[in-house]
Each structure stands twice: as C-alpha cells, then as structure tokens.
C-alpha cells in the first residue's frame, strides 16, 4: 500500500516555487543589467578570457588617455611656437620699416614690445606648468623682463633656467615620443639677435633713434638675415610639433579601433540575449503563478478531510 503524506506534497510544491523564483530572479537580473552575469564567477570557463580582454582594454584606454593629454599639450606648444615666430617676424618687419624710411624713431620701443611677445611664448604655461622648462615646470624658463636686462646678462645662455630633460610620453606598446622642446632651444637665436641690437643701441654706434646713418643701416641689414634664420628655426620646431600631433592622432585612431573591437568581443561573451531573457522572465512568472496555485489548492486538500 502506498502512503500519501500532505507534508510531502507541500514540500514538492514549495521546491517547485523556489526553483521558479530563482529562475525568475536570474532572468530579471539579465533583463535589468543586460548582462549574462554580474561577476566573473557567473561566466564560468570564459572568466579567464574575459579577464584577459578586460586587461587589454584597460591598457588601451590608458594609452588613449595619454594620447589625449599629449595632443592637448602639443596644441598649446604649437600656439607658443607660433607666438614666438610671429614675434620674430615682427622684429624683422620693424627693422625693415626703419631701413625703408631711414628712420629709427620708434624702433627700440617696437622691439621692446616684440621682445615681450617672444618672452610670453617662451614662458607659456600648460595646465599650470611651463611648457619649455623641462622638468622644472614651476620655474619660468626665462625670468628677464626687458631688453635692458637681456643686455646686462652675462650671456644669452644665462637667461634660460630650464633643465635638459625634454617631455616624453609612452603612447603605445614600445612607442615613446619626445614631444617637448626646451626654452634655450627655442629662444637662443632670437634672444642673441635682440641682445646684440640692444648693446649696439647702447654702444658707441648708437643710439638707434632718428635718421639712420649708413653704418647703422648696414649693421641692421645684417640682423635681418640672422632673424630670418632664428625665425626659420622656430618654424621648423612648429612643423615638428605638427608632425608629432599627426602621429599621435594616427596612434589614437588605431587604439580606438582596437578598443571597439575588444568591446565587441567582450559584448559577445557578456551581453545577454534580451529576447531570450524576457522570454525566460515571462515563463518563470507563469511557473511561479502555477506553483502558487498548487500550494493554494493543497491548503484545501488535507487527509484530515477524508478521515472525517
């Protein structure tokens, strides 16, 4: 004779209800997170692969962040070099105008203003630090403030306070770019010419005011060639900056493409099939309702009713 127990029926129905609730919770998590699991444990054998992919993503994102910082710095550096180049060109223009008019009435005043333009470019900051100071980013690479101080300096080299370490950035695996210049590299030629002009103005052949004599005109004409050389040096550094910016942009595009590809690989392993997840959620809700109805019916079906 088979024994029928009310307790056994309840236990079986409760187990079915708990299993349905567990499936519903799992499906609900997939629907809400749009992922197959919320931690690596849930991905089983694929966890090692996902860890490797995530590590690669992290490295690429680090390179992208570095590239963005380098690009911003190069843009500021280009602005600084352009300002220095414009200042040197303005010096040439002022001297050319003086030679053309045989008058240097305002020449030294104009050169003083253009010196400030060049000085501003050499002392330009980026994110709080001086661009051309090397690692001494908190110290102005050129502290003199006027042409008189420039002329009084022991030498042109003495006016620059940068160190010898240039800015370098690792933008990819095995690729480190030297992207910075030093103040003495950028400004020595221009400051040498300006210092010589100031000393000439203060010397026996000066001052450079009023009508120019033949000796002054001949000497100033030679400064135009020197200034052209100085300006070309700064322009060349600007071209190098542009070339570096293009190289960084190309590397950045490559990293972005790799990051997108890795993202797709990760998504294939982690993203939930939303149609299947919604279907599983609906089925689990039906199963929960069915189990609940069975338990409700068992409340009304007791062996005590039959015994009475």
């Amino acid at each position: 004779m088979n024994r029928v127990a009310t307790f056994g029926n309840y236990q079986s129905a409760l187990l079915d209800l708990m299993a349905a609730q567990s499936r519903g919770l799992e499906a609900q998590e997939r629907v809400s997170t749009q992922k197959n699991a919320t931690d690596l444990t849930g991905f089983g054998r694929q966890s090692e692969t996902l860890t490797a992919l995530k590590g690669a993503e992290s490295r690429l994102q680090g390179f992208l962040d570095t590239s963005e910082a380098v690009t911003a710095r190069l843009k500021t550096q280009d602005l600084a070099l352009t300002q220095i180049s414009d200042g040197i060109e303005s010096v040439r223009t002022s001297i050319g105008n003086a030679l053309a008019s045989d008058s240097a009435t305002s020449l030294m005043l104009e050169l003083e203003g253009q010196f400030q333009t060049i000085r501003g470019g050499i002392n330009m900051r980026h994110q709080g630090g001086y661009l051309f100071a090397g690692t001494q980013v908190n110290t102005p690479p050129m502290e003199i403030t006027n042409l008189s101080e420039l002329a009084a300096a022991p030498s042109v080299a003495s006016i620059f306070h940068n160190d010898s370490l240039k800015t370098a950035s690792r933008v990819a695996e095995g690729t480190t770019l030297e992207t910075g210049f030093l103040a003495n590299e950028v400004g020595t030629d221009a400051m040498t010419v300006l210092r010589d002009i100031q000393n000439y103005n203060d010397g026996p052949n000066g001052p450079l005011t009023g009508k120019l004599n033949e000796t002054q005109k001949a000497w100033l004409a030679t400064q135009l060639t020197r200034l052209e050389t100085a300006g070309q040096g700064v322009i060349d550094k600007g071209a190098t900056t542009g070339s570096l910016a293009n190289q960084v942009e190309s590397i950045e595009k490559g990293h972005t493409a790799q990051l997108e590809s890795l993202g797709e690989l990760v998504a294939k392993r982690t993203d939930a099939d939303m149609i299947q997840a919604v279907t599983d959620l609906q089925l689990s809700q039906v199963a929960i309702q069915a189990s609940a109805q069975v338990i409700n019916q068992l409340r009304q079906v007791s062996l005590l009713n039959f015994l009475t």
Side-chain angles (χ1 to χ4, degrees), residues 8 147 164:
L147 288 175
S164 60

Side-chain angles (χ1 to χ4, degrees), residues 12-236:
S12 177
L14 284 172
L15 288 175
D16 288 342
L17 177 60
M18 292 173 62
Q21 288 176 330
S22 177
R23 292 194 300 273
L25 179 61
E26 187 270 337
Q28 181 62 51
E29 286 183 350
R30 279 188 288 153
V31 172
S32 60
T33 64
Q34 299 184 8
K35 299 293 181 181
N36 288 324
T38 56
D39 54 34
L40 289 176
T41 303
F43 293 105
R45 296 179 180 178
Q46 296 192 73
S47 60
E48 292 184 3
T49 302
L50 288 173
T51 300
L53 292 174
K54 285 294 185 180
E57 278 187 327
S58 180
R59 289 194 299 274
L60 285 174
Q61 188 59 55
F63 288 137
L64 278 174
D65 294 340
T66 300
S67 296
E68 290 177 2
V70 171
T71 297
R73 181 183 176 86
L74 288 174
K75 287 181 179 179
T76 306
Q77 184 168 290
D78 182 63
L79 290 174
L81 293 171
T82 299
Q83 181 174 328
I84 296 169
S85 177
D86 290 345
I88 295 173
E89 185 60 32
S90 295
V91 172
R92 293 185 72 244
T93 300
S94 294
I95 294 175
N97 291 338
L99 291 174
S101 62
D102 283 342
S103 174
T105 302
S106 61
L107 177 61
M108 296 310 297
L109 183 62
E110 292 176 8
L111 295 190
E112 187 69 52
Q114 288 140 13
F115 165 82
Q116 298 299 334
T117 298
I118 298 171
R119 175 178 176 270
I122 293 174
N123 285 343
M124 186 168 287
R125 290 172 174 262
H126 175 69
Q127 295 183 349
Y130 291 98
L131 269 176
F132 302 120
T135 59
Q136 299 180 9
V137 294
N138 296 320
T139 303
M142 196 174 81
E143 292 183 334
I144 60 171
T145 59
N146 53 58
L147 288 175
S148 297
E149 291 181 6
L150 174 60
S155 65
V156 172
S158 68
I159 69 173
F160 297 107
H161 304 295
N162 57 274
D163 58 26
S164 60
L165 299 176
K166 299 181 181 180
T167 301
S169 303
R170 186 166 177 261
V171 294
E173 292 288 355
T175 303
T176 300
L177 299 180
E178 190 177 84
T179 57
F181 294 109
L182 301 175
N184 61 313
E185 293 179 332
V186 174
T188 293
D189 291 344
M191 288 299 138
T192 300
V193 177
L194 288 171
R195 184 171 185 266
D196 290 345
I197 293 175
Q198 182 64 42
N199 285 331
Y200 188 90
N201 178 73
D202 297 337
N205 292 319
L208 295 172
T209 57
K211 185 175 177 60
L212 296 171
N213 58 47
E214 293 302 318
T215 301
Q216 291 173 332
K217 289 169 63 177
W219 188 84
L220 286 174
T222 61
Q223 307 316 304
L224 291 177
T225 302
R226 297 175 66 195
L227 286 166
E228 183 178 3
T229 302
Q232 187 59 51
V234 176
I235 290 173
D236 289 344

